[in-house]
């Protein structure tokens, strides 16, 4: 059984992935270029474990074991020498991912599977940066990782059945529900979600309704736990824009063209929760109040 996991990138997704593997008994080497991000990740994991304890679903001893399963590294070389599986969750940038995969290919043991948590970049293209494309696969966790059950398992053009089977089973061992998906732009989750978010923005842009009105229709009318505009704020408007552009380019289909309001907001630095403002205002004094001045006609 594959036991030694390396997670590259200790941001939003990386800390959640490390937490999930460690809590399921795997040993995890967590790597980031910035020590402060590693420190922050360990803090977040500790807080999240305390939350699970408060709900009665974990003991103090299991928390200690989970944290004991995680080691942090700033140099990938030291982290991957005995890896069975590396899950890359670094910043969403094609050149960066190609560089990391070529480096992992050089440094990791021959049998090690190389997975990526990318939301939108082609697994086939990433695999082509290595000499082991049959061992490269998409493992698309959802945010927040310890809570969300789904993992999209994305087969690149050259991913072997062996690699797929190992990752599918391993996802089940993490208590997740894996779903098999082929490698086309947006995979399944974002191919369906992003056009809905884009259409919600278009509806706002056309003045059909305001921010809260659109979100309320989708929450109360369609039983969505969160409206599409608030969800876009949580995902990050820059991330939504990047994914739409990948689908627009990938399919050469205007139906995926990002709405100009989304483009403008990203250019203005309004990226949602992470920047303090998107369709809602997340500053301390306002706490998710809609930014009505900008959108309501
Ligand atoms: N945020 C989401 O909701 C979400 C959901 C699913 C998938 N994803 C995908 O997960 C990946 C990570 O996204 P995130 O939201 O966690 O990003 P993030 O910006 O929160 O974290 C990225 C981390 O990668 C680190 N990093 C950058 N270059 C590195 C390198 N060479 N080596 C090691 N670490 C490096 C950064 O320092 C940062 O800590 C992306 O591919 C993204 O598309 C994100």
């Amino acid at each position: 059984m594959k036991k030694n996991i390396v997670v590259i990138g200790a941001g939003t997704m990386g800390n959640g992935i490390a937490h999930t593997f460690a809590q399921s008994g795997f040993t995890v080497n967590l790597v980031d270029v910035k020590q402060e991000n590693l420190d922050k990740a360990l803090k977040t994991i500790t807080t999240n474990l305390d939350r699970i304890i408060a709900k009665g679903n974990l003991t103090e001893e299991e928390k200690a074991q989970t944290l004991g399963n995680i080691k942090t590294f700033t140099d990938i070389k030291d982290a991957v020498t005995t890896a069975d599986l590396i899950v890359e969750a670094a910043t969403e940038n094609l050149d960066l991912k190609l560089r990391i995969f070529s480096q992992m290919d050089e440094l990791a043991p021959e049998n090690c599977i190389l997975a990526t948590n990318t939301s939108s970049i082609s697994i086939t293209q990433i695999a082509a940066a290595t000499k082991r494309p049959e061992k490269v696969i998409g493992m698309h966790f959802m945010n927040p990782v310890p809570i969300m059950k789904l993992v999209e398992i994305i087969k690149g053009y050259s991913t072997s059945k062996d690699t797929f089977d190992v990752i599918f089973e391993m996802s089940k061992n993490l208590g997740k529900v894996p779903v098999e998906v082929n490698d086309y732009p947006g995979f399944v989750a974002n191919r369906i979600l992003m056009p809905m978010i884009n259409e919600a923005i278009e509806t706002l842009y056309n003045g059909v309704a305001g921010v809260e009105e659109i979100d309320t229709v989708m929450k109360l009318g369609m039983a969505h736990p969160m409206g599409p505009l608030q969800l876009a704020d949580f995902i990050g408007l820059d991330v939504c824009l990047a994914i739409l552009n990948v689908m627009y380019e990938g399919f050469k289909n205007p139906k995926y063209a990002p709405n100009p309001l989304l483009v403008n907001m990203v250019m203005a630095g309004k990226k949602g929760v992470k920047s303090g403002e998107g369709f809602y205002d997340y500053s301390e004094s306002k706490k998710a109040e809609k930014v009505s001045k900008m959108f309501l006609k």
Side-chain angles (χ1 to χ4, degrees):
M1 167 135 163
K2 297 195 178 286
K3 271 308 217 183
N4 296 329
I5 311 299
V6 175
V7 177
I8 311 278
T12 312
M13 296 305 288
N15 84 62
I17 295 168
H19 169 158
T20 302
F21 274 106
Q23 200 181 323
S24 299
F26 295 88
T27 62
V28 179
N29 288 353
L30 179 59
V31 184
D32 203 289
V33 279
K34 291 190 188 149
Q35 183 61 45
E36 67 198 79
N37 292 0
L38 290 165
D39 298 341
K40 203 170 141 206
L42 285 182
K43 233 188 220 164
T44 305
I45 294 170
T46 306
T47 309
N48 289 340
L49 287 168
D50 285 336
R51 272 200 197 122
I52 304 174
I53 291 176
K55 283 188 193 148
N57 295 330
L58 197 78
T59 63
E60 284 290 347
E61 198 189 339
E62 287 165 334
K63 172 187 163 186
Q65 271 166 5
T66 301
L67 290 172
N69 282 341
I70 304 174
K71 285 203 193 94
T72 59
F73 296 81
T74 48
D75 191 341
I76 189 171
K77 259 203 273 17
D78 305 330
V80 302
T81 45
T82 59
D84 296 313
L85 164 67
I86 307 181
V87 183
E88 174 276 320
T91 316
E92 186 80 339
N93 174 294
L94 175 64
D95 290 342
L96 174 70
K97 296 214 191 261
L98 295 181
R99 220 172 41 241
I100 292 176
F101 269 76
S102 135
Q103 202 181 8
M104 294 190 314
D105 190 33
E106 290 287 314
L107 299 169
E110 220 174 285
N111 279 332
C112 178
I113 293 177
L114 310 179
T116 173
N117 185 52
T118 180
S119 310
S120 64
I121 296 171
S122 158
I123 309 303
T124 306
Q125 188 174 8
I126 289 174
T130 74
K131 295 186 198 76
R132 59 178 101 183
E134 74 289 351
K135 289 198 165 57
V136 176
I137 192 162
M139 208 176 178
H140 187 205
F141 290 90
M142 305 290 134
N143 185 23
V145 182
I147 292 170
M148 299 294 277
K149 284 278 176 207
L150 176 70
V151 191
E152 271 188 303
I153 310 292
I154 304 130
K155 294 181 298 183
Y157 192 87
S158 311
T159 307
S160 69
K161 182 170 179 327
D162 234 33
T163 300
F164 176 81
D165 290 344
V166 168
I167 295 303
F168 200 82
E169 278 313 304
M170 198 179 234
S171 303
K172 287 196 215 160
N173 291 339
L174 294 175
K176 302 293 183 199
V177 178
V179 173
E180 178 178 354
V181 169
N182 284 315
D183 182 26
Y184 290 100
F187 315 133
V188 171
N190 283 320
R191 175 134 172 208
I192 297 172
L193 176 64
M194 286 304 152
M196 184 187 74
I197 285 176
N198 203 33
E199 197 64 30
I201 299 171
E202 179 103 1
T203 308
L204 178 69
Y205 174 76
N206 290 339
V208 179
V211 172
E212 281 184 349
E213 288 74 11
I214 291 168
D215 276 354
T216 302
V217 167
M218 297 305 285
K219 276 192 289 188
L220 301 187
M222 318 301 153
H224 289 192
M226 191 184 280
L229 297 173
Q230 188 159 28
L231 179 56
D233 277 354
F234 273 91
I235 294 169
L237 300 191
D238 53 335
V239 175
C240 294
L241 177 61
I243 297 171
L244 280 163
N245 275 328
V246 165
M247 294 199 289
Y248 182 42
E249 293 295 321
F251 292 113
K252 306 273 183 267
N253 187 333
K255 82 174 176 184
Y256 300 111
N259 180 272
L261 174 58
L262 175 63
V263 176
N264 265 356
M265 288 176 73
V266 173
M267 285 194 299
K270 312 293 181 198
K271 297 180 185 169
V273 176
K274 66 172 112 172
S275 72
E277 187 180 313
F279 294 104
Y280 295 83
D281 187 333
Y282 300 92
S283 56
E284 264 313 297
S285 58
K286 298 261 174 60
K287 282 260 166 74
E289 194 177 285
K290 72 177 180 246
V291 186
S292 52
K293 67 178 187 314
M294 285 175 63
F295 304 114
L296 274 185
K297 292 199 169 167

